[in-house]
Amino acid sequence: DQQVKQNSPSLSVQEGRISILNCDYTNSMFDYFLWYKKYPAEGPTFLISISSIKDKNEDGRFTVFLNKSAKHLSLHIVPSQPGDSAVYFCAARYNYGQNFVFGPGTRLSVLP
Amino acid sequence: KAGVTQTPRYLIKTRGQQVTLSCSPISGHRSVSWYQQTPGQGLQFLFEYFSETQRNKGNFPGRFSGRQFSNSRSEMNVSTLELGDSALYLCASSYANSGNTIYFGEGSWLTVV
């Protein structure tokens, strides 16, 4: 049973436009969420996080939105750049610690 | 400052053998966790250590074990290797007991033949 879902396996966006990556979760006890991007043959790189007490967090071109009632979060990248092309994972945790549950990932392609 | 360092980066083992992977966390980080990434199962949590104690454990068989040393460095061991253990093994570290944001190393690619 997938507790964290990323229903779009892939997404293509034009350079300069907005990329929106979505993530849904089923466990209402999750209290902390992270987004990572991953290039082939590299470890995941941390992008941005959000606590369940907030509904939005921004860091430069990246903004994460959390809708607790819908158990949904999204990552917005504005403007998108070709270097953003990678696989993006959302991850969720409850009961603190490092035991995060990861989604299956969405492959983002930013076209020049 | 240096990131999470994992060794070896690539290795090939034979079924039935055992393997030990090493992880040096970011300086000052005391929590270390291990994840397995496979094409079929994605990223899955193996276990987490803090102050040399295992704090959380994922749903993996007992063949998978780990430990943490007093300098926060960690090792994980897989005994009696199976073909299905072929995967990217990722180590992550974080600062404090609450272990909010975790930072990953480059991973160790294990192939079991």
Side-chain angles (χ1 to χ4, degrees):
Chain A
D1 177 34
Q2 263 191 340
Q3 296 190 70
V4 178
K5 304 175 186 178
Q6 294 176 258
N7 291 322
S8 298
S10 63
L11 174 69
S12 291
V13 169
Q14 210 67 34
E15 181 180 3
R17 306 293 293 267
I18 183 172
S19 294
I20 300 176
L21 298 116
N22 294 304
C23 180
D24 296 290
Y25 60 96
T26 57
N27 191 335
S28 58
M29 297 298 291
F30 286 144
D31 64 352
Y32 200 75
F33 304 87
L34 305 173
W35 282 94
Y36 290 86
K37 73 175 180 182
K38 188 178 185 299
Y39 297 117
E42 293 185 12
T45 300
F46 168 70
L47 287 173
I48 193 167
S49 62
I50 188 165
S51 164
S52 60
I53 63 173
K54 296 187 174 182
D55 54 20
K56 177 182 174 182
N57 189 27
E58 284 182 83
D59 186 358
R61 296 187 298 116
F62 302 94
T63 303
V64 57
F65 296 91
L66 175 62
N67 182 334
K68 286 189 293 292
S69 60
K71 296 191 182 69
H72 175 84
L73 62 157
S74 61
L75 174 68
H76 293 210
I77 306 173
V78 183
S80 300
Q81 300 171 353
D84 295 329
S85 296
V87 178
Y88 287 77
F89 293 94
C90 68
R93 179 204 72 189
Y94 64 96
N95 202 26
Y96 77 84
Q98 292 195 10
N99 51 329
F100 284 89
V101 179
F102 280 78
T106 297
R107 182 176 301 279
L108 172 66
S109 298
V110 180
L111 310 172
Chain B
K1 79 185 156 180
V4 177
T5 305
Q6 292 187 244
T7 57
R9 287 294 317 278
Y10 305 93
L11 66 167
I12 300 174
K13 290 284 188 178
T14 304
R15 265 185 306 175
Q17 287 186 314
Q18 66 94 26
V19 66
T20 299
L21 308 177
S22 181
C23 171
S24 293
I26 292 171
S27 178
H29 285 194
R30 296 174 61 196
S31 291
V32 172
S33 55
W34 290 88
Y35 286 79
Q36 181 197 63
Q37 185 181 26
T38 59
Q41 299 296 321
L43 269 154
Q44 291 190 291
F45 172 77
L46 280 156
F47 28 64
E48 174 195 357
Y49 287 87
F50 178 78
S51 291
E52 303 177 64
T53 302
Q54 188 180 87
R55 188 163 61 173
N56 285 300
K57 190 177 189 305
N59 190 25
F60 279 82
R63 300 185 297 108
F64 292 81
S65 63
R67 59 179 176 166
Q68 186 181 34
F69 302 96
S70 58
N71 61 359
S72 295
R73 194 176 67 84
S74 177
E75 289 181 348
M76 68 162 283
N77 183 276
V78 188
S79 62
T80 320
L81 283 165
E82 300 176 0
L83 296 179
D85 296 333
S86 295
L88 175 64
Y89 289 88
L90 291 159
C91 174
S93 73
S94 69
Y95 271 113
N97 194 29
S98 61
N100 281 345
T101 298
I102 62 174
Y103 299 88
F104 284 93
E106 297 294 293
S108 292
W109 286 93
L110 170 65
T111 301
V112 182
V113 297

